[in-house]
Amino acid sequence: MGPRRTIFKKSRKNGKQQNMSKDMKKKFKKEQASRPPPTRYQRNIKHIERSQEAIQAQKRQIEAERKYRQKANGSFGMDTFTSSDSEEDEGEQASRENGTAFEDLAVEFNDQLGQAVVDSEVESEEGDLDDEDMDEEGEEEDEEVGEEETEDVSDDGETSDCKIKESDSEANQASEMESEDEIEEEDPSDLSSEDDELETNDPYMQHTAFNLSPGMLETIAAEPPRVEHSKMVFPGLGNVLVELPKCTVANKRPEPKGILTKERYAKPGTLPTVPEHNASIDWRALHVKDKITRNITEPLDALQRDTFAILNGYQDLHITQRSFENAGRLRYVYCLHALNHVLKAVSKMQHHTIKLAASRADGRKKKKPAEDEFRRKIKVPKVGDEPTVGLECRDQGFVRPKVLIVVPFRESAFQCVSVLKHLFAGENEKNVMNWKRFTEQYGGGSTLSFSHKNPKPADYEQTFAGNIDDNFRLGIAFNRSTMKLYAKYYGSDVIIASPLGLRLAIGAKGEKHRDYDFLASIELLIIDQAEVCYAQNWDHLLHVMEHLHQQPKSTEYTEFSRVREWCLSGWSKFYRQSVLLSGFELPDFRSLYNKHFHNYRGKVRTIVRREQQQHTGTIRRVVVPVPQNFQRIETSTLDGAGSARFSHFVNVILPQARTVSMARCMIYVPSYFDFVRLRNHFKKEDISFTQICEYTADPKISRARDMFFHGGKHFLLYSERAHFFRRHRIRGVRHLIFYGPPAFPHFYPELVNLMMKENQNPRDGVDDSSMTVTVLYTRYDTYQLTEMIGIERANAMIKAPRSVHRFSTDQK
């Protein structure tokens, strides 16, 4: 009997290099050295492809082994083996009993096939030899680069900060792929099923877990959207107007999603629930995380309860009654809602990561049958991938940032982060990383010093208290126990930034280095102090809104297997909840509310009853006895309003104002574009004037005020932004012309009251009874007029046949 042949064949590892000559090996190494090192993203993709190929090869091998065992054991009169673990154990025991006879049968069976076995792992090693060498080189370079990339992205306005190059999410992706070998197996019984998650009453899950129905999508995507209006009364917010999409049922039956399941669509929004004022709050019933509720020490008042009831229902909200008295209470509520939203999203992602790791561990740790030690390695013909039913967890967007809070100053950001810290960690600062650095850069006391001899108005001191730097960006990352400040953009959950800081980060069209992918998956947008953002530069905020939910240019931070379907479909703007807080109404605010708030759950805005607006208006604060003339400018279109206003001023107002009797005339211009237009006209006509705008230097401002007070110049051009940021007390004003109604309604009585006798030059020789106030307005200035004189008077003045209306101090 000849020598016994073994069923195993020696591996051919590094077989390609054994067949190479020395010159070929040197040439091969030079080619490898000249290749650019692969990025971490490319290596991760290769790891995924290898793992998929290995899984498919293992499945084909297991199937071949099953068929082989069935045929082999059938010849011994044994039961056919199945793929279950219990039957595999029985087959393992039977194989041990048969011993040598089964071994001889295995050798004979493999000889009949006449095929050499190649291990799938050896094949992958041989086929991807070059990639392994490149991976080793790339890993060394990544370790060096990883130590160097520690620069803060969310601080200051330098150019280097505008280039957003983060590697946190890359590390997260790599750690998730390496977690296949690191995460221990979890008990599946401890993890809730997907059906339990979808059946919950949690507003977060109801808002994000389902796709939009065709009827709902058609309704909210229409121009204009089809909505139903309803008025409600809240004890704290007062009267609100609720707009809900008027959904048409396109398909009564749910569309099939697969062979066994049917598509479930998101429920349309309903009217918000009015909370009971005196009842205690059940935070568990409101689905607020326990980590937050144990840090809520003070009860919520009526305003906070009403606001949180709307926010917790994931409906858009526009509050036009923000003031310095309720600013802190509103900030507390929206920070509470934002933190609750982030913690739910983070816990859901971590929960799904554990489930996926457990399912992968179950597949890897299955026991191999005992027959493996007797089989030969068989090449299986290539076939198509077999369909598999795996665990699908879609809980993310394209990128990690979920919440964007836009505030005008660092002081506002400091207050927001302080509230988030208190709600997340209480008084324990150890769970908040980089807190000391944050307090030094965002706190540090007031930037401006206010004079006690000539005090500024109270609202000015409150607005510009603290650090008023308007160029900043701050990323915050959360996990189960830690709140990390100064996180990289793509590794953060919350971004707090100013409009200018975001504009510099996004860049302008035509710039070489631009990055706005971090705005692709914003689920909650909060804009606080909108009137201050309007005074800074409203175009910055509109620029940010235009770059929300754009298709990412890079997929470096995207895990497509876990991206929600409505993100992939481009419907993210319909799922974004937007909150806008302002102190008054403006056409720009209403335009932002109408054009950029697309929440399918509906939207809510505060309104004021007509009977309440009849006796309101800032004109009631005027104390100077001066006639106030309102002149309406006729125009048919909004685009032509600017030209009509300029033509009326040049042809009607300016000839009268240039007379000697109208000396010391100040012209208040709300828009800077109109200010430049008037300034150029005055220079062209060689009119005696001086100017003060937001860009005027302090020495020139002092000289302009002095010349105007002593009569050296006939006119003073004064911009609204200059008054907002400096709040000068202009003295010597005898005649005041408003080129348009002020955007800030409290500026009207403040400027008119500057004409008091103690602010006049006693040597000018002008009688106090000759002073005048003139206001120019159009039919498109309804919001400004309503804040100044009340809604009843505003409507009457716009619709009245005569174009001139006069008010006196005793008629207020």
Side-chain angles (χ1 to χ4, degrees):
M1 188 173 180
R4 184 169 185 151
R5 292 181 297 173
T6 178
I7 62 175
F8 297 105
K9 190 174 182 178
K10 293 182 179 180
S11 63
R12 296 174 56 192
K13 189 173 183 180
N14 298 331
K16 288 184 178 180
Q17 292 186 355
Q18 292 177 1
N19 298 330
M20 290 184 180
S21 63
K22 291 183 178 180
D23 295 337
M24 292 292 291
K25 289 182 180 179
K26 290 182 179 179
K27 185 178 180 181
F28 181 71
K29 290 182 178 179
K30 288 182 180 180
E31 292 178 355
Q32 285 184 338
S34 62
R35 294 178 182 176
T39 63
R40 181 171 295 180
Y41 173 71
Q42 292 174 343
R43 294 198 304 275
N44 291 340
I45 293 297
K46 286 187 176 294
H47 291 325
I48 294 174
E49 293 176 353
R50 291 177 187 174
S51 63
Q52 292 176 351
E53 292 175 359
I55 291 172
Q56 296 299 329
Q58 187 178 11
K59 289 181 180 178
R60 293 193 295 267
Q61 189 176 5
I62 292 174
E63 183 65 21
E65 292 169 4
R66 186 182 64 82
K67 294 180 180 179
Y68 160 71
R69 289 196 301 270
Q70 289 179 356
K71 186 173 182 179
N73 291 306
S75 61
F76 290 93
M78 297 178 61
D79 296 337
T80 304
F81 286 94
T82 61
S83 60
S84 63
D85 295 338
S86 61
E87 292 178 350
E88 287 177 1
D89 295 338
E90 294 175 2
E92 181 179 356
Q93 183 178 1
S95 65
R96 294 195 184 97
E97 294 176 356
N98 288 282
T100 308
F102 185 79
E103 179 182 356
D104 296 337
L105 179 61
V107 174
E108 181 181 359
F109 180 78
N110 289 328
D111 288 340
Q112 292 177 359
L113 294 177
Q115 297 177 344
V117 178
V118 179
D119 192 358
S120 61
E121 297 178 358
V122 177
E123 283 184 353
S124 63
E125 291 175 358
E126 294 178 354
D128 299 322
L129 179 63
D130 302 345
D131 299 333
E132 292 176 355
D133 296 336
M134 295 173 67
D135 290 349
E136 294 176 359
E137 297 175 3
E139 289 175 359
E140 295 177 358
E141 294 179 3
D142 288 338
E143 292 176 357
E144 297 176 358
V145 174
E147 296 176 357
E148 297 175 359
E149 291 183 354
T150 57
E151 185 177 354
D152 173 31
V153 177
S154 58
D155 190 24
D156 297 331
E158 300 179 358
T159 307
S160 60
D161 292 344
C162 301
K163 301 177 183 179
I164 307 168
K165 298 180 179 179
E166 292 80 0
S167 60
D168 286 358
S169 60
E170 295 178 352
N172 294 337
Q173 293 177 357
S175 62
E176 290 178 3
M177 295 175 183
E178 295 170 0
S179 63
E180 296 180 3
D181 299 325
E182 296 176 359
I183 297 180
E184 298 181 357
E185 182 177 1
E186 295 285 344
D187 185 7
S189 62
D190 296 338
L191 304 177
S192 60
S193 64
E194 193 70 19
D195 294 337
D196 295 339
E197 295 176 358
L198 299 182
E199 293 296 336
T200 183
N201 293 325
D202 188 355
Y204 170 78
M205 290 300 302
Q206 291 182 351
H207 181 66
T208 60
F210 306 104
N211 293 331
L212 297 177
S213 64
M216 174 64 72
L217 185 62
E218 180 183 356
T219 299
I220 59 181
E223 291 292 342
R226 296 189 292 269
V227 296
E228 295 179 345
H229 296 84
S230 302
K231 292 184 179 181
M232 299 181 63
V233 180
F234 283 81
L237 283 176
N239 300 278
V240 299
L241 180 65
V242 184
E243 299 181 15
L244 299 178
K246 190 176 182 181
C247 182
T248 58
V249 182
N251 296 321
K252 295 184 179 179
R253 297 181 180 180
E255 294 183 354
K257 185 179 181 182
I259 299 176
L260 301 176
T261 60
K262 294 184 178 180
E263 180 87 23
R264 295 183 62 182
Y265 294 126
K267 297 180 180 179
T270 58
L271 293 177
T273 303
V274 180
E276 298 182 5
H277 180 62
N278 297 324
S280 60
I281 300 177
D282 186 1
W283 294 110
R284 187 174 295 273
L286 296 175
H287 300 277
V288 178
K289 303 289 287 186
D290 295 336
K291 187 175 184 63
I292 301 176
T293 56
R294 60 171 172 258
N295 295 322
I296 300 177
T297 57
E298 298 180 359
L300 303 185
D301 58 12
L303 175 64
Q304 292 175 315
R305 292 191 182 201
D306 298 345
T307 305
F308 185 76
I310 298 174
L311 295 180
N312 197 42
Y314 282 89
Q315 293 178 321
D316 293 345
L317 178 62
H318 179 200
I319 297 180
T320 60
Q321 302 169 2
R322 183 190 183 280
S323 62
F324 295 105
E325 290 75 18
N326 60 22
R329 293 179 288 162
L330 292 175
R331 183 183 301 110
Y332 186 88
V333 172
Y334 70 67
C335 288
L336 168 64
H337 175 63
L339 181 60
N340 189 43
H341 177 86
V342 169
L343 293 184
K344 287 181 181 179
V346 170
S347 61
K348 184 62 63 179
M349 291 171 58
Q350 293 177 348
H351 171 69
H352 286 167
T353 301
I354 295 175
K355 291 177 68 176
L356 292 172
S359 64
R360 288 193 295 264
D362 291 341
R364 288 197 313 269
K365 293 186 178 182
K366 286 185 177 179
K367 294 183 179 180
K368 296 183 178 180
E371 290 84 2
D372 287 354
E373 60 179 312
F374 302 112
R375 75 179 189 275
R376 298 181 68 181
K377 301 171 184 178
I378 304 174
K379 277 189 177 181
V380 182
K382 291 184 178 180
V383 295
D385 294 341
E386 300 177 4
T388 58
V389 180
L391 181 63
E392 185 181 50
C393 298
R394 297 196 174 271
D395 51 11
Q396 303 177 12
F398 289 112
V399 290
R400 182 174 176 180
K402 308 172 186 63
V403 179
L404 176 63
I405 302 178
V406 181
V407 289
F409 301 125
R410 284 183 181 247
E411 175 65 21
S412 305
F414 178 80
Q415 295 175 2
C416 290
V417 175
S418 300
V419 175
L420 291 174
K421 167 187 168 294
H422 173 72
L423 292 174
F424 181 81
E427 301 299 331
N428 187 10
E429 295 184 1
K430 295 181 180 179
N431 294 336
V432 182
M433 301 175 61
N434 302 322
W435 174 252
K436 183 178 180 180
R437 173 188 173 188
F438 173 76
T439 55
E440 293 175 354
Q441 295 183 357
Y442 283 77
S446 179
T447 304
L448 294 180
S449 58
F450 304 105
S451 174
H452 296 285
K453 183 178 181 180
N454 295 316
K456 300 286 186 179
D459 64 288
Y460 179 83
E461 295 185 359
Q462 291 176 342
T463 301
F464 294 95
N467 192 335
I468 59 171
D469 181 20
D470 61 349
N471 183 12
F472 62 91
R473 300 174 298 277
L474 177 67
I476 308 176
F478 292 90
N479 57 24
R480 293 182 182 272
S481 60
T482 306
M483 173 182 174
K484 181 182 178 182
L485 304 178
Y486 295 97
K488 302 296 183 181
Y489 266 162
Y490 291 95
S492 60
D493 298 295
V494 179
I495 295 177
I496 303 178
S498 64
L500 177 60
L502 291 173
R503 178 65 181 266
L504 294 177
I506 294 172
K509 187 176 181 180
E511 293 183 1
K512 184 177 180 180
H513 300 287
R514 302 187 64 192
D515 190 2
Y516 47 85
D517 289 350
F518 62 94
L519 300 175
S521 300
I522 297 297
E523 300 172 1
L524 176 58
L525 171 65
I526 300 173
I527 304 173
D528 196 3
Q529 295 178 269
E531 65 276 5
V532 182
C533 297
Y534 176 83
Q536 290 177 339
N537 196 332
W538 190 248
D539 289 339
H540 292 341
L541 186 59
L542 296 180
H543 188 74
V544 174
M545 298 299 296
E546 292 173 357
H547 289 82
L548 288 175
H549 308 300
Q550 297 290 330
Q551 183 177 356
K553 294 183 178 180
S554 172
T555 59
E556 188 175 359
Y557 308 98
T558 305
E559 186 178 356
F560 284 100
S561 61
R562 299 182 66 174
V563 177
R564 296 186 179 97
E565 293 183 3
W566 45 266
C567 285
L568 298 174
S569 301
W571 300 342
S572 298
K573 65 178 182 179
F574 300 129
Y575 285 81
R576 185 191 74 232
Q577 183 184 21
S578 306
V579 181
L580 178 64
L581 305 180
S582 64
F584 45 82
E585 276 272 27
L586 275 181
D588 302 83
F589 301 160
R590 183 63 65 84
S591 176
L592 184 70
Y593 177 81
N594 293 333
K595 294 182 179 180
H596 296 279
F597 287 21
H598 304 289
N599 194 347
Y600 80 92
R601 301 280 296 179
K603 50 188 179 181
V604 182
R605 63 179 177 88
T606 58
I607 56 176
V608 181
R609 289 183 177 179
R610 288 181 175 271
E611 53 269 20
Q612 295 177 348
Q613 290 183 335
Q614 287 179 358
H615 303 289
T616 59
T618 57
I619 195 175
R620 299 174 61 87
R621 305 175 191 171
V622 176
V623 297
V624 178
V626 56
Q628 305 162 49
N629 301 318
F630 287 74
Q631 297 186 18
R632 187 178 69 234
I633 302 172
E634 301 297 337
T635 178
S636 58
T637 60
L638 180 60
D639 296 336
S643 299
R645 191 190 305 270
F646 179 77
S647 177
H648 180 83
F649 177 83
V650 171
N651 298 325
V652 179
I653 303 298
L654 188 58
Q656 301 175 2
R658 295 182 67 174
T659 60
V660 178
S661 60
M662 291 286 289
R664 294 181 175 83
C665 177
M666 185 175 75
I667 304 175
Y668 178 86
V669 188
S671 173
Y672 181 72
F673 299 104
D674 293 332
F675 179 88
V676 173
R677 191 174 188 178
L678 290 178
R679 182 187 63 188
N680 295 339
H681 178 76
F682 278 30
K683 289 182 178 180
K684 181 180 178 180
E685 297 295 330
D686 195 18
I687 300 175
S688 175
F689 80 101
T690 185
Q691 59 176 330
I692 297 177
C693 68
E694 58 270 27
Y695 304 109
T696 307
D698 290 341
K700 291 185 177 181
I701 292 176
S702 299
R703 186 164 57 252
R705 294 175 62 183
D706 183 73
M707 287 189 298
F708 182 75
F709 178 75
H710 293 93
K713 296 294 181 180
H714 189 92
F715 290 103
L716 170 63
L717 290 181
Y718 191 44
S719 68
E720 184 172 70
R721 292 181 63 189
H723 189 70
F724 176 83
F725 286 107
R726 297 178 179 269
R727 206 64 69 88
H728 293 298
R729 185 176 298 175
I730 307 297
R731 302 175 60 193
V733 179
R734 289 296 186 177
H735 302 277
L736 179 60
I737 298 176
F738 287 90
Y739 191 75
F744 296 83
H746 59 281
F747 284 0
Y748 180 78
E750 184 176 320
L751 291 172
V752 175
N753 289 333
L754 291 177
M755 304 171 70
M756 299 177 64
K757 187 173 183 179
E758 51 266 26
N759 294 329
Q760 302 297 337
N761 187 351
R763 300 178 181 179
D764 59 4
V766 179
D767 188 8
D768 294 341
S769 60
S770 63
M771 297 187 302
T772 60
V773 175
T774 304
V775 183
L776 305 181
Y777 70 95
T778 66
R779 55 182 296 191
Y780 301 104
D781 297 327
T782 306
Y783 293 109
Q784 295 92 317
L785 289 176
T786 300
E787 297 289 342
M788 289 170 53
I789 60 178
I791 189 171
E792 291 292 339
R793 291 175 175 174
N795 291 335
M797 290 169 54
I798 291 175
K799 298 177 182 179
R802 56 192 179 96
S803 60
V804 179
H805 303 268
R806 172 171 291 188
F807 293 90
S808 59
T809 305
D810 54 352
Q811 292 179 347
K812 296 180 298 182

